[in-house]
Amino acid sequence: MPIHPSLNHYTNSMANALAWYYQKQGKPFIFRCCNRLDRDTSGLTVVAKHLVSASILSDMVRRHLVHREYLAIVRGTVTPLSGTIDAPLSRKPGTIIERTVDFAHGEAAITHYRVVEEKNGHSLVSLHLETGRTHQIRIHMKYLGFPLIGDYLYHPDMEYIGRQALHSHRLAFTHPITGEEMSFCAPLPEDMKAVLKNS
């Protein structure tokens, strides 16, 4: 589901679901998502319960203190097997949704990647974001020559999956109030597992 309401998605969003959850408890709620995921990207995200935590967490995201690992699936053998993609991104001319690599006018965007496994003609890739630009992983992997399968916007290869094969796998950060080290992991979802098994 989308993270927040948008064009053609006015009710079916995580923000709506959380608003309903808090309303049922008779508690006030303002949606404060600290690391938004693209629609159809599965996995972990962070939502702050109150303004103080939201402010601290947003600052931590800005200073790259929230460590995020994603898993993605692409066709073929990724070469080299690991590396860093440093390619600035900007809005693609003529569209409000798509982004593109733009060395002249783009904002800095850095993604570190490594191949976890290769199975049945596909590669499972681990990605760590140094920056958090819109569609960053999707564009950077396409720029590398290995676009994500199932990506309706940048590579509509829907043979094995009906969404971009991208999963927010791990999140680690310091709790904004207690200072406790927090780490969360979401296993690979079934639709992505199936690609590696059945392709």
Side-chain angles (χ1 to χ4, degrees), residues 12-28:
N12 182 31
S13 75
M14 191 172 77
N16 295 109
L18 284 170
W20 177 85
Y21 174 78
Y22 278 95
Q23 184 183 33
K24 288 291 180 192
Q25 299 176 59
K27 294 179 180 175

Side-chain angles (χ1 to χ4, degrees), residues 71-129:
L71 293 173
I73 297 176
V74 302
R75 270 195 206 248
T77 303
V78 177
T79 51
L81 291 174
S82 65
T84 297
I85 305 163
D86 185 350
L89 303 177
S90 68
R91 196 183 300 272
K92 187 176 179 180
T95 173
I96 59 167
I97 298 170
E98 291 181 64
R99 303 300 195 268
T100 188
V101 170
D102 181 351
F103 284 96
H105 307 290
E107 294 180 289
I110 300 170
T111 305
H112 306 283
Y113 75 91
R114 68 177 173 82
V115 174
V116 176
E117 69 173 322
E118 188 182 337
K119 235 176 179 178
N120 305 320
H122 289 85
S123 294
L124 179 67
V125 183
S126 166
L127 302 117
H128 288 269
L129 295 177

